[in-house]
Amino acid sequence: MRNHTVPRERAVRESDTSLAELRGDCARMAPHWVKPAAATPAPVPPSLIHGVTVPPASARLIDGMAEYGD
């Protein structure tokens, strides 16, 4: 059976790492990380939207709300 404890010298060394050092490490690694291109969803034509029902109370609630930018 293996002992899964961290050696004392490693634990001390890891606890001595400051936030500034950690941020510096991240800043040096950041250029190597690739940000995936954002996928923009294609608009759905209204003709493809069917079978959606809205309860009358919800429709009245939305109808009573101000338009955006009012």
Side-chain angles (χ1 to χ4, degrees):
M1 183 169 214
R2 294 177 63 185
N3 185 357
H4 293 286
T5 60
V6 177
R8 179 168 165 65
E9 60 276 358
R10 181 175 168 201
V12 170
R13 187 175 60 233
E14 287 176 356
S15 67
D16 287 342
T17 302
S18 71
L19 181 58
E21 290 172 314
L22 180 58
R23 290 182 67 193
D25 291 344
C26 291
R28 282 187 295 283
M29 291 172 21
H32 303 286
W33 297 333
V34 177
K35 180 181 174 187
T40 55
V44 176
S47 62
L48 294 180
I49 300 174
H50 55 83
V52 176
T53 57
V54 178
S58 296
R60 283 191 300 275
L61 175 70
I62 298 299
D63 190 41
M65 297 174 87
E67 294 290 325
Y68 181 78
D70 282 350

